[in-house]
Amino acid sequence: SEDSGKYTCDNGNEQTTATLTVKALPVTFTQPLQNQQAEEGGTVTLSCEVSKSNVTVQWKKAGKVLRPSDKYKMRQAGSAAELTIHNLSGADA
């Protein structure tokens, strides 16, 4: 963390110094993904929220990383992340 480091108190005659260590908290999901049902040919948006703003999330299907395309649109604002899937087919389930 940028606040970690050595801090000194100086009275003009003497100094005392201490080290501050700031531990980073793990990023957790404050709002998990929810199961959804949608119709073939339609569009669905999956959304979740993480505990820290501006943490980049990665979207995956069956372990494979999804890339932005005409089919997959990813949006992230602050701690909220969204995946929109267009033109749904049975293979998208």
Side-chain angles (χ1 to χ4, degrees), residues 53-84:
S53 290
N54 303 316
V55 170
T56 303
V57 303
Q58 202 173 49
W59 289 95
K60 299 178 181 181
K61 181 188 181 227
K64 186 173 180 287
V65 176
L66 300 176
R67 304 273 174 225
S69 64
D70 287 343
K71 183 170 196 62
Y72 299 116
K73 303 285 186 214
M74 290 89 170
R75 194 177 77 84
Q76 205 167 339
S79 59
E82 287 182 352
L83 169 68
T84 301

